[in-house]
């Protein structure tokens, strides 16, 4: 697992390759979700309201203002969320704390799954209101293309956000390679090395060392001289 850190990302502090980052499936899904959210939001804001001979504007979806407001809300928040998570993906490798990485992944899993569900509701809601819209409500077929675009890209957004949810779950299940991080790294602090201990594990008694005199020391007693016998 050389070069691989926690939750499928690189080691903390590694250099990010923009080309490799752009080719990742998660980045592609993120970009598609950003585009689809922009289409849903812009279609309703620009052509989702028509003027039927009065100063008051009516929503093209069966004159139901809640349908237009819901589509604008889901598209706008999805657009901003994609921008935020895109930046988070790019900076993810620079996060040194494993706990912070885990929180970021959990946030992505929860939000992506929830927003996929909201886009499912948006698709069903807009499609239902559009099916109830009569030709009298839209003279000269005004706003029809924008309504169809909002419905279609709401459906496409369900797929992309669901794909982002699956990718985030996969990253979460990868967990972390604990050999790359100490406890201090998990808390975001610098690792510290403990002082080594010479005593064996589980030994609670203190050992006393006996004093040994250094070698080659002279004895205080004078050596005896023996006279040779011839």
């Amino acid at each position: 697992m050389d070069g691989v850190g926690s939750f499928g990302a690189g080691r903390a502090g590694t250099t990010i390759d923009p080309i490799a980052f752009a080719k990742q499936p998660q980045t592609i899904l993120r970009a598609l979700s950003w585009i689809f959210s922009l289409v849903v939001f812009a279609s309703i804001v620009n052509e989702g309201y028509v003027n039927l001979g009065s100063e008051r504007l009516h929503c093209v979806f069966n004159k139901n203002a809640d349908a237009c407001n819901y589509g604008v809300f889901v598209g706008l928040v999805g657009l901003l969320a994609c921008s935020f998570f895109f930046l988070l993906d790019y900076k993810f490798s620079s996060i040194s704390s494993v706990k912070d990485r885990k929180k970021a992944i959990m946030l992505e899993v929860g939000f992506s799954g929830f927003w996929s569900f909201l886009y499912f509701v948006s698709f069903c809601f807009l499609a239902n209101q559009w099916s109830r819209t009569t030709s009298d409500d839209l003279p000269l077929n005004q706003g029809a293309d924008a309504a169809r675009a909002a419905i279609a890209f709401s459906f496409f957004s369900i797929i992309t956000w669901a794909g982002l949810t699956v990718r985030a779950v996969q990253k979460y299940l990868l967990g972390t390679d604990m050999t790359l991080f100490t406890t201090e790294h998990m808390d975001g602090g610098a690792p510290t090395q403990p002082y080594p201990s010479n005593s064996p594990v589980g030994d609670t008694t203190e050992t006393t060392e006996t004093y040994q005199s250094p070698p080659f020391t002279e004895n205080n007693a004078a050596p005896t001289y023996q006279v040779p016998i011839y």
Side-chain angles (χ1 to χ4, degrees):
M1 296 182 62
D2 188 18
V4 179
S6 62
F7 298 99
R11 295 174 184 266
T14 55
T15 304
I16 302 174
D17 186 3
I19 298 178
F21 174 76
K23 292 181 179 179
Q24 292 179 0
Q26 182 170 342
T27 305
I28 297 175
L29 288 173
R30 191 84 65 196
L32 291 176
S33 299
W34 189 90
I35 295 173
F36 295 164
S37 297
L38 178 62
V39 173
V40 173
F41 170 73
S43 297
I44 299 177
V45 170
N46 293 333
E47 300 182 20
Y49 297 90
V50 294
N51 189 345
L52 302 177
S54 63
E55 295 181 355
R56 184 179 180 181
L57 296 176
H58 298 276
C59 179
V60 295
F61 295 99
N62 195 30
K63 297 182 180 180
N64 189 345
D66 293 336
C68 287
N69 293 336
Y70 184 82
V72 170
F73 168 75
V74 174
L76 179 60
V77 177
L79 183 67
L80 297 176
C82 283
S83 302
F84 170 76
F85 283 111
F86 184 86
L87 181 61
L88 182 62
D89 291 340
Y90 190 78
K91 296 293 185 180
F92 191 76
S93 297
S94 62
I95 302 176
S96 60
S97 173
V98 177
K99 291 184 177 180
D100 292 340
R101 288 190 177 192
K102 183 178 180 180
K103 292 177 182 178
I105 294 298
M106 293 180 63
L107 175 63
E108 184 179 357
V109 171
F111 186 88
S112 298
F114 180 63
W115 224 249
S116 179
F117 171 75
L118 289 187
Y119 264 116
F120 174 76
V121 175
S122 175
F123 169 73
C124 295
F125 188 22
L126 297 181
N128 177 266
Q129 293 300 309
W130 179 247
S131 64
R132 298 182 180 183
T133 304
T134 61
S135 57
D136 296 336
D137 297 331
L138 298 176
L140 301 177
N141 212 22
Q142 296 179 7
D145 293 337
R148 296 188 184 97
I151 296 173
F153 283 94
S154 292
F155 176 77
F156 297 152
S157 295
I158 299 173
I159 301 174
T160 56
W161 281 99
L164 289 172
T165 305
V166 173
R167 292 291 301 178
V169 171
Q170 291 176 348
K171 289 172 63 178
Y172 181 80
L173 293 179
L174 285 176
T176 177
D177 183 4
M178 297 305 297
T179 61
L180 303 176
F181 293 89
T182 62
T183 306
E184 288 77 9
H185 273 109
M186 295 180 64
D187 296 332
T192 56
Q193 296 292 338
Y195 290 103
S197 176
N198 294 327
S199 60
V201 178
D203 187 8
T204 57
T205 60
E206 295 183 357
T207 59
T208 59
E209 297 181 357
T210 58
Y211 175 79
Q212 293 181 355
S213 60
F216 306 108
T217 56
E218 296 182 356
N219 196 345
N220 293 331
T224 59
Y225 178 76
Q226 235 174 1
V227 179
I229 301 175
Y230 296 98

